[in-house]
Amino acid sequence: MYEDRIRHPGLLSKIMSADEAAKLFHNGMRVGMSGFTRAGDAKALPRALAERALQDPLSLTLITGASLGNGSDGLMAEAGVLARRMPFQVDPVLRGKINDGEVMFIDQHLSETAEQLRSGNLAAVDIAVIEATAITAAGAIIPTMSVGNSAAFAQQATQVIIEINLSTPLALEGLHDIYIPQTLPGREPIPLTRVDQRLGSTAIAIDPARIAAIVITDSPDSPSNALPPDAETQAIAGHVIAFLQGEVAAGRMGPELLPLQAGIGTIANAVLHGLIGSPFSNMTMYSEVLQDSAIELLDSGQLAFASASSITLSAAVHQKLMDNIDHYRSKIVLRPQEISNHPEIVRRLGIIALNTALEFDIYGNVNSTHVCGTHMMNGIGGSGDFARNGQVSMFVSKSAAKGGRISSVVPMVSHVDHTEHDVDVLVTEWGYADLRGLAPRERAPLIIERCTHPDYRAQLRAYYDAACQRGGHTPHILQEALSWHTRYQETQSMLAAQ
Amino acid sequence: MYEDRIRHPGLLSKIMSADEAAKLFHNGMRVGMSGFTRAGDAKALPRALAERALQDPLSLTLITGASLGNGSDGLMAEAGVLARRMPFQVDPVLRGKINDGEVMFIDQHLSETAEQLRSGNLAAVDIAVIEATAITAAGAIIPTMSVGNSAAFAQQATQVIIEINLSTPLALEGLHDIYIPQTLPGREPIPLTRVDQRLGSTAIAIDPARIAAIVITDSPDSPSNALPPDAETQAIAGHVIAFLQGEVAAGRMGPELLPLQAGIGTIANAVLHGLIGSPFSNMTMYSEVLQDSAIELLDSGQLAFASASSITLSAAVHQKLMDNIDHYRSKIVLRPQEISNHPEIVRRLGIIALNTALEFDIYGNVNSTHVCGTHMMNGIGGSGDFARNGQVSMFVSKSAAKGGRISSVVPMVSHVDHTEHDVDVLVTEWGYADLRGLAPRERAPLIIERCTHPDYRAQLRAYYDAACQRGGHTPHILQEALSWHTRYQETQSMLAAQ
């Protein structure tokens, strides 16, 4: 059995249980695992490592593509497996331990991890754990619903553990394009010039002798937890479309726009969903993740092709994709995240970057990661890769949170992930502020009037007016710049007492 | 006369005085001027525009490569010529007007201005003013000591004014490599893979019919105002060398290192100067500016080749370069700043980026631009282009300023230009902190103990320890995070009362 999944005959003997494979790990090892936006993550080993650690303590550095599903990060964190974790996570249990200082979390641009491993800026991984739909006759790994950093991990690790996931159709073969940039010095350009271009192979080639274990699983990916569009996200989508229509009208792009990137999550998904029925046609995506909206846009005929590093869908849309995989495989390619997010490619293609802000300030600085400046939410993800190098960098957010007690627009962000230099357009349900070519003192009134929740506009105007009295290119009152956050900590609301 | 400088015979009739040429400007025009780190700037038109504006008010948007010399920005600002200014400046008079809110200053990554002009994200320039050493028989412009954005301006402007500077030797021809990236969509890779590679032509080709005026000048560039090395900058250089020796010892680079970038100014110049006599050989530079130290390193034989967008030297070293230009022309190339700083190239070549911080915080965020969070110093320049995409991103600073009353290491920077995601190594005269692969709670003790002035270490430890009591991935006490800056504003010292 499994000959269709493990086509290299010498590897059948490597099949073992996850518990047996978990014995290959030793304290202090550096582990690279597949998984990106909870897609294509290893399902059995994280659980087996957590269970083993309860008996036989185990402390590892875990590097992934991005977030894992199935509560895996939480299980491993709870069992003390995770001494260090990078470059991204979304798990509530792990998040708690990061914020308690128990787990050392390194929050990285998603394009950079593989490059840093290869250059030695990060120490190499010892073991790779990669979910696969099959292993070819040559021993190459056919990934599942994400590529992430799997190719970099598999090529670098001394030992490779493969989880064959029987729930993934063999017809995924051909969906992936595995291309790894050359190493320094003297490397050539990455020859990608079109979103639908294929540069490499359909599987991750490695020496089969390094495959130390094969574990059989059949658990599906965790389904997307993006919420359906609501009135506010629909309004945000409307403003994004209005901005893009302006770009087309000004001749800065055609009706096919430029290749679109959209971050993970409810708002970005809703914005893309809002493009269905928009006046744009023959669009393309060059993104890190495809959510339901991307599949719906392909179905509407408005999206011609989608390139990403992972696919994260609701159960229903996932089923549709699987039932019609031969159709979709001609319209989708999954790449290593160092290619999907590569600064060289993002700049060359002229991406429209759409990412979600936790908060932004009156000068256009964006906080994507830290609640009240201290507590990590998920991580910067790929937002910086796209915002810095894209042709147009948009950040979207609802203008308020916690029933209006938090304003997403503040005098000074409590943590900066994207500086004013990298932010072109800010959008909330109230409108958009086009900051291109504007000085800080021009941005502030625009952001206050166009993007801020009406309950907070007078309060922001008062801050800005008082700050201007003190002068400066970027006026601030340092004693009050973070007072909205401390007021929230003290009174559970950013609203000033009347 | 001037036939050797103006080789297109039809253009000799375009010679006019700067005052006449200044009449070509109208209110509201957008002007692109040559000049980068006070090298290769137009000398006559800025003065003529300022003089004209005193009689006949004139308000312009001025875009340059980077900073102008000769007090030109100050003269124009004083005369009210500068309504808007981008992407960089260093002039004290202009700085005052920016901080007073009189001049709208847009602080940009130096790689991005030309790209944004071409894409339409910034409105096109109407007039270009370019300093040249000569005009070829075909009407192409041979630049002087910088390329900057001159090619982009000259190709886009409706009218081009050329300042022929007779003090520049004709032998500068061949020093420059003019290559402009293709426009969207469908552009190809930029084929540069070696620092000494030439991609384009030695002059800026334009339709001679757009040359509206030629002005003859003979004023030299303003000499470099970098200060000579002192004990502190020598100590910084020593720590940089120690770090790089560690990289060589670890096998992450060879004794030729990776291509070096160094920002403008005293500290970066001193650090490069410190490499003379270091154990590194056959080094290369891929930078935006070459200062005295680069020429000295070429002379020492340790630097094999230097690529940049401008050359800014002291009078003595400038004279040596001019006296031996045929020799140096084989070891130096000047490129458009969108190529010298291009993210695609910076990432591909694996640059070691060395830039100066105004201040940095205990988590590795860097402020390059704003004094006490509000007042613009010069601008971000190319530091972000190199820090984000380079292989190793180093920031250097003296640990204290104003006789010890300002600590360059603070709890939270008052403005963020480079986020923790983009900063690998911090260096002061006390030592270096290698932040690669470290979480915020690991970075803070290292930065405090290795980089902070001893007078401020206990104070920083106390802040960090108290912040950790409150928890968080990046511990802070928001009420106190900016208190060092407000204390300085109130007491003229960041030192806490004993």
Side-chain angles (χ1 to χ4, degrees), chain A residues 156-178:
Chain A
Q156 183 171 71
T158 313
Q159 294 178 292
V160 179
I161 299 172
I162 296 176
E163 288 197 6
I164 295 285
N165 189 325
L166 302 177
S167 80
T168 61
L170 285 167
L172 290 185
E173 187 170 358
L175 182 66
H176 315 91
D177 182 53
I178 309 300

PDB file of all heavy atoms in Angstrom, chain A residues 156-178:
ATOM      1  N   GLN A 156      18.039  22.007   3.443  1.00  0.00           N
ATOM      2  CA  GLN A 156      19.085  22.297   4.427  1.00  0.00           C
ATOM      3  C   GLN A 156      19.185  21.264   5.544  1.00  0.00           C
ATOM      4  O   GLN A 156      20.274  21.035   6.079  1.00  0.00           O
ATOM      5  CB  GLN A 156      18.817  23.676   5.038  1.00  0.00           C
ATOM      6  CG  GLN A 156      19.870  24.128   6.023  1.00  0.00           C
ATOM      7  CD  GLN A 156      19.685  25.568   6.440  1.00  0.00           C
ATOM      8  OE1 GLN A 156      18.763  25.899   7.168  1.00  0.00           O
ATOM      9  NE2 GLN A 156      20.554  26.442   5.979  1.00  0.00           N
ATOM     10  N   ALA A 157      18.068  20.639   5.911  1.00  0.00           N
ATOM     11  CA  ALA A 157      18.043  19.793   7.107  1.00  0.00           C
ATOM     12  C   ALA A 157      18.864  18.513   6.920  1.00  0.00           C
ATOM     13  O   ALA A 157      18.949  17.962   5.815  1.00  0.00           O
ATOM     14  CB  ALA A 157      16.602  19.431   7.450  1.00  0.00           C
ATOM     15  N   THR A 158      19.457  18.061   7.997  1.00  0.00           N
ATOM     16  CA  THR A 158      20.171  16.786   7.982  1.00  0.00           C
ATOM     17  C   THR A 158      19.172  15.628   7.846  1.00  0.00           C
ATOM     18  O   THR A 158      19.440  14.647   7.152  1.00  0.00           O
ATOM     19  CB  THR A 158      20.961  16.623   9.298  1.00  0.00           C
ATOM     20  OG1 THR A 158      21.663  17.837   9.551  1.00  0.00           O
ATOM     21  CG2 THR A 158      21.933  15.474   9.206  1.00  0.00           C
ATOM     22  N   GLN A 159      18.057  15.762   8.541  1.00  0.00           N
ATOM     23  CA  GLN A 159      17.016  14.732   8.489  1.00  0.00           C
ATOM     24  C   GLN A 159      15.705  15.372   8.060  1.00  0.00           C
ATOM     25  O   GLN A 159      15.333  16.439   8.543  1.00  0.00           O
ATOM     26  CB  GLN A 159      16.821  14.109   9.867  1.00  0.00           C
ATOM     27  CG  GLN A 159      18.032  13.326  10.371  1.00  0.00           C
ATOM     28  CD  GLN A 159      17.776  12.788  11.766  1.00  0.00           C
ATOM     29  OE1 GLN A 159      17.672  13.543  12.727  1.00  0.00           O
ATOM     30  NE2 GLN A 159      17.656  11.479  11.866  1.00  0.00           N
ATOM     31  N   VAL A 160      14.987  14.660   7.192  1.00  0.00           N
ATOM     32  CA  VAL A 160      13.692  15.152   6.724  1.00  0.00           C
ATOM     33  C   VAL A 160      12.609  14.140   7.092  1.00  0.00           C
ATOM     34  O   VAL A 160      12.756  12.944   6.817  1.00  0.00           O
ATOM     35  CB  VAL A 160      13.705  15.384   5.200  1.00  0.00           C
ATOM     36  CG1 VAL A 160      12.338  15.872   4.713  1.00  0.00           C
ATOM     37  CG2 VAL A 160      14.804  16.369   4.813  1.00  0.00           C
ATOM     38  N   ILE A 161      11.585  14.644   7.747  1.00  0.00           N
ATOM     39  CA  ILE A 161      10.431  13.808   8.075  1.00  0.00           C
ATOM     40  C   ILE A 161       9.280  14.271   7.182  1.00  0.00           C
ATOM     41  O   ILE A 161       8.998  15.473   7.108  1.00  0.00           O
ATOM     42  CB  ILE A 161      10.046  13.959   9.556  1.00  0.00           C
ATOM     43  CG1 ILE A 161      11.219  13.509  10.445  1.00  0.00           C
ATOM     44  CG2 ILE A 161       8.778  13.159   9.861  1.00  0.00           C
ATOM     45  CD1 ILE A 161      11.003  13.794  11.930  1.00  0.00           C
ATOM     46  N   ILE A 162       8.656  13.320   6.511  1.00  0.00           N
ATOM     47  CA  ILE A 162       7.569  13.680   5.607  1.00  0.00           C
ATOM     48  C   ILE A 162       6.261  13.124   6.157  1.00  0.00           C
ATOM     49  O   ILE A 162       6.178  11.956   6.544  1.00  0.00           O
ATOM     50  CB  ILE A 162       7.845  13.143   4.195  1.00  0.00           C
ATOM     51  CG1 ILE A 162       9.106  13.837   3.643  1.00  0.00           C
ATOM     52  CG2 ILE A 162       6.640  13.371   3.280  1.00  0.00           C
ATOM     53  CD1 ILE A 162       9.550  13.338   2.305  1.00  0.00           C
ATOM     54  N   GLU A 163       5.269  13.993   6.230  1.00  0.00           N
ATOM     55  CA  GLU A 163       3.912  13.551   6.557  1.00  0.00           C
ATOM     56  C   GLU A 163       3.134  13.451   5.257  1.00  0.00           C
ATOM     57  O   GLU A 163       2.850  14.460   4.615  1.00  0.00           O
ATOM     58  CB  GLU A 163       3.225  14.552   7.487  1.00  0.00           C
ATOM     59  CG  GLU A 163       3.766  14.549   8.891  1.00  0.00           C
ATOM     60  CD  GLU A 163       2.811  15.232   9.890  1.00  0.00           C
ATOM     61  OE1 GLU A 163       1.675  15.601   9.495  1.00  0.00           O
ATOM     62  OE2 GLU A 163       3.226  15.397  11.050  1.00  0.00           O
ATOM     63  N   ILE A 164       2.818  12.221   4.855  1.00  0.00           N
ATOM     64  CA  ILE A 164       1.963  12.031   3.677  1.00  0.00           C
ATOM     65  C   ILE A 164       0.511  12.185   4.130  1.00  0.00           C
ATOM     66  O   ILE A 164       0.039  11.427   4.983  1.00  0.00           O
ATOM     67  CB  ILE A 164       2.163  10.619   3.084  1.00  0.00           C
ATOM     68  CG1 ILE A 164       3.585  10.452   2.559  1.00  0.00           C
ATOM     69  CG2 ILE A 164       1.126  10.330   2.008  1.00  0.00           C
ATOM     70  CD1 ILE A 164       3.860  11.155   1.259  1.00  0.00           C
ATOM     71  N   ASN A 165      -0.163  13.190   3.599  1.00  0.00           N
ATOM     72  CA  ASN A 165      -1.551  13.432   4.003  1.00  0.00           C
ATOM     73  C   ASN A 165      -2.499  12.837   2.967  1.00  0.00           C
ATOM     74  O   ASN A 165      -2.659  13.365   1.858  1.00  0.00           O
ATOM     75  CB  ASN A 165      -1.791  14.935   4.177  1.00  0.00           C
ATOM     76  CG  ASN A 165      -3.146  15.208   4.811  1.00  0.00           C
ATOM     77  OD1 ASN A 165      -4.122  14.489   4.555  1.00  0.00           O
ATOM     78  ND2 ASN A 165      -3.214  16.248   5.623  1.00  0.00           N
ATOM     79  N   LEU A 166      -3.152  11.735   3.336  1.00  0.00           N
ATOM     80  CA  LEU A 166      -4.002  10.997   2.398  1.00  0.00           C
ATOM     81  C   LEU A 166      -5.263  11.770   2.023  1.00  0.00           C
ATOM     82  O   LEU A 166      -5.933  11.430   1.045  1.00  0.00           O
ATOM     83  CB  LEU A 166      -4.397   9.646   3.010  1.00  0.00           C
ATOM     84  CG  LEU A 166      -3.233   8.730   3.412  1.00  0.00           C
ATOM     85  CD1 LEU A 166      -3.765   7.450   4.064  1.00  0.00           C
ATOM     86  CD2 LEU A 166      -2.387   8.373   2.187  1.00  0.00           C
ATOM     87  N   SER A 167      -5.585  12.805   2.819  1.00  0.00           N
ATOM     88  CA  SER A 167      -6.795  13.584   2.498  1.00  0.00           C
ATOM     89  C   SER A 167      -6.548  14.565   1.363  1.00  0.00           C
ATOM     90  O   SER A 167      -7.483  15.207   0.883  1.00  0.00           O
ATOM     91  CB  SER A 167      -7.295  14.332   3.734  1.00  0.00           C
ATOM     92  OG  SER A 167      -6.551  15.511   3.959  1.00  0.00           O
ATOM     93  N   THR A 168      -5.306  14.713   0.938  1.00  0.00           N
ATOM     94  CA  THR A 168      -5.017  15.646  -0.158  1.00  0.00           C
ATOM     95  C   THR A 168      -4.995  14.875  -1.475  1.00  0.00           C
ATOM     96  O   THR A 168      -4.389  13.803  -1.559  1.00  0.00           O
ATOM     97  CB  THR A 168      -3.653  16.337   0.047  1.00  0.00           C
ATOM     98  OG1 THR A 168      -2.618  15.342   0.073  1.00  0.00           O
ATOM     99  CG2 THR A 168      -3.628  17.119   1.341  1.00  0.00           C
ATOM    100  N   PRO A 169      -5.651  15.383  -2.508  1.00  0.00           N
ATOM    101  CA  PRO A 169      -5.717  14.636  -3.767  1.00  0.00           C
ATOM    102  C   PRO A 169      -4.360  14.598  -4.481  1.00  0.00           C
ATOM    103  O   PRO A 169      -3.608  15.576  -4.444  1.00  0.00           O
ATOM    104  CB  PRO A 169      -6.737  15.417  -4.596  1.00  0.00           C
ATOM    105  CG  PRO A 169      -6.758  16.783  -4.025  1.00  0.00           C
ATOM    106  CD  PRO A 169      -6.409  16.651  -2.568  1.00  0.00           C
ATOM    107  N   LEU A 170      -4.092  13.479  -5.109  1.00  0.00           N
ATOM    108  CA  LEU A 170      -2.856  13.364  -5.890  1.00  0.00           C
ATOM    109  C   LEU A 170      -2.812  14.396  -7.004  1.00  0.00           C
ATOM    110  O   LEU A 170      -1.726  14.770  -7.478  1.00  0.00           O
ATOM    111  CB  LEU A 170      -2.751  11.951  -6.484  1.00  0.00           C
ATOM    112  CG  LEU A 170      -2.352  10.878  -5.457  1.00  0.00           C
ATOM    113  CD1 LEU A 170      -2.567   9.481  -6.029  1.00  0.00           C
ATOM    114  CD2 LEU A 170      -0.897  11.074  -5.050  1.00  0.00           C
ATOM    115  N   ALA A 171      -3.992  14.867  -7.380  1.00  0.00           N
ATOM    116  CA  ALA A 171      -4.051  15.852  -8.469  1.00  0.00           C
ATOM    117  C   ALA A 171      -3.486  17.209  -8.074  1.00  0.00           C
ATOM    118  O   ALA A 171      -3.422  18.114  -8.897  1.00  0.00           O
ATOM    119  CB  ALA A 171      -5.492  16.008  -8.952  1.00  0.00           C
ATOM    120  N   LEU A 172      -3.038  17.367  -6.819  1.00  0.00           N
ATOM    121  CA  LEU A 172      -2.324  18.606  -6.475  1.00  0.00           C
ATOM    122  C   LEU A 172      -0.985  18.695  -7.208  1.00  0.00           C
ATOM    123  O   LEU A 172      -0.422  19.775  -7.345  1.00  0.00           O
ATOM    124  CB  LEU A 172      -2.072  18.685  -4.961  1.00  0.00           C
ATOM    125  CG  LEU A 172      -3.275  18.915  -4.051  1.00  0.00           C
ATOM    126  CD1 LEU A 172      -2.812  19.082  -2.610  1.00  0.00           C
ATOM    127  CD2 LEU A 172      -4.093  20.125  -4.492  1.00  0.00           C
ATOM    128  N   GLU A 173      -0.484  17.548  -7.657  1.00  0.00           N
ATOM    129  CA  GLU A 173       0.799  17.550  -8.368  1.00  0.00           C
ATOM    130  C   GLU A 173       0.728  18.476  -9.582  1.00  0.00           C
ATOM    131  O   GLU A 173      -0.201  18.366 -10.395  1.00  0.00           O
ATOM    132  CB  GLU A 173       1.185  16.126  -8.803  1.00  0.00           C
ATOM    133  CG  GLU A 173       2.594  16.067  -9.383  1.00  0.00           C
ATOM    134  CD  GLU A 173       3.093  14.634  -9.606  1.00  0.00           C
ATOM    135  OE1 GLU A 173       2.353  13.677  -9.281  1.00  0.00           O
ATOM    136  OE2 GLU A 173       4.212  14.479 -10.112  1.00  0.00           O
ATOM    137  N   GLY A 174       1.645  19.379  -9.688  1.00  0.00           N
ATOM    138  CA  GLY A 174       1.631  20.347 -10.790  1.00  0.00           C
ATOM    139  C   GLY A 174       1.157  21.729 -10.358  1.00  0.00           C
ATOM    140  O   GLY A 174       1.265  22.695 -11.105  1.00  0.00           O
ATOM    141  N   LEU A 175       0.615  21.806  -9.142  1.00  0.00           N
ATOM    142  CA  LEU A 175       0.149  23.107  -8.632  1.00  0.00           C
ATOM    143  C   LEU A 175       1.336  23.991  -8.219  1.00  0.00           C
ATOM    144  O   LEU A 175       1.254  25.216  -8.288  1.00  0.00           O
ATOM    145  CB  LEU A 175      -0.762  22.857  -7.422  1.00  0.00           C
ATOM    146  CG  LEU A 175      -1.419  24.050  -6.740  1.00  0.00           C
ATOM    147  CD1 LEU A 175      -2.414  24.716  -7.690  1.00  0.00           C
ATOM    148  CD2 LEU A 175      -2.133  23.610  -5.449  1.00  0.00           C
ATOM    149  N   HIS A 176       2.422  23.367  -7.806  1.00  0.00           N
ATOM    150  CA  HIS A 176       3.531  24.099  -7.185  1.00  0.00           C
ATOM    151  C   HIS A 176       4.636  24.403  -8.192  1.00  0.00           C
ATOM    152  O   HIS A 176       4.813  23.688  -9.170  1.00  0.00           O
ATOM    153  CB  HIS A 176       4.095  23.264  -6.031  1.00  0.00           C
ATOM    154  CG  HIS A 176       3.035  22.673  -5.152  1.00  0.00           C
ATOM    155  ND1 HIS A 176       2.492  21.422  -5.383  1.00  0.00           N
ATOM    156  CD2 HIS A 176       2.393  23.165  -4.085  1.00  0.00           C
ATOM    157  CE1 HIS A 176       1.569  21.164  -4.471  1.00  0.00           C
ATOM    158  NE2 HIS A 176       1.470  22.205  -3.677  1.00  0.00           N
ATOM    159  N   ASP A 177       5.375  25.458  -7.900  1.00  0.00           N
ATOM    160  CA  ASP A 177       6.541  25.810  -8.711  1.00  0.00           C
ATOM    161  C   ASP A 177       7.706  26.057  -7.756  1.00  0.00           C
ATOM    162  O   ASP A 177       7.780  27.096  -7.104  1.00  0.00           O
ATOM    163  CB  ASP A 177       6.266  27.059  -9.557  1.00  0.00           C
ATOM    164  CG  ASP A 177       7.455  27.415 -10.437  1.00  0.00           C
ATOM    165  OD1 ASP A 177       7.914  26.531 -11.178  1.00  0.00           O
ATOM    166  OD2 ASP A 177       7.918  28.572 -10.370  1.00  0.00           O
ATOM    167  N   ILE A 178       8.593  25.093  -7.679  1.00  0.00           N
ATOM    168  CA  ILE A 178       9.685  25.152  -6.705  1.00  0.00           C
ATOM    169  C   ILE A 178      10.918  25.738  -7.374  1.00  0.00           C
ATOM    170  O   ILE A 178      11.553  25.097  -8.221  1.00  0.00           O
ATOM    171  CB  ILE A 178      10.012  23.743  -6.147  1.00  0.00           C
ATOM    172  CG1 ILE A 178       8.745  23.051  -5.663  1.00  0.00           C
ATOM    173  CG2 ILE A 178      11.072  23.863  -5.044  1.00  0.00           C
ATOM    174  CD1 ILE A 178       7.999  23.761  -4.553  1.00  0.00           C
TER     175      ILE A 178
END
